[in-house]
């Protein structure tokens, strides 16, 4: 029973690490695309900051929800 518990804990840790990697990578891609988005949408700097915050918050929330269903 202890081995199964240890494996499950390692699985949850691996899923959390992969989630963090995905959020960080997506955030980096979004930051690289910001100048093009700002020019195309004629958005302000504060509008772009809201875009980054909203995107990261929604993505992280969905990943946490997926983690709840896998545990």
């Amino acid at each position: 029973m202890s081995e199964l518990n240890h494996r499950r804990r390692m699985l949850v840790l691996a899923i959390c690490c992969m989630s963090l990697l995905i959020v960080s990578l997506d955030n980096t891609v979004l930051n690289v695309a910001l100048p093009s988005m700002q020019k195309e949408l004629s958005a302000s700097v504060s509008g772009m900051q809201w875009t980054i915050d909203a995107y990261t918050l929604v993505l992280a929330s969905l990943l946490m929800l997926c983690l709840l269903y896998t545990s």
Side-chain angles (χ1 to χ4, degrees), residues 13-69:
L13 178 62
I15 291 170
C16 288
C17 290
M18 290 303 294
S19 298
L20 182 62
L21 175 70
I22 290 170
V23 169
S24 299
L25 184 64
D26 280 349
N27 198 10
T28 300
V29 169
L30 181 62
N31 280 318
V32 168
L34 276 179
S36 300
M37 289 172 55
Q38 186 175 15
K39 186 168 57 169
E40 292 290 325
L41 300 173
S42 301
S44 65
V45 174
S46 65
M48 291 291 100
Q49 288 173 337
W50 275 106
T51 303
I52 293 172
D53 292 342
Y55 181 78
T56 305
L57 181 66
V58 169
L59 182 64
S61 299
L62 290 174
L63 286 171
M64 287 173 55
L65 184 63
C66 290
L67 178 64
L68 287 175
Y69 282 115

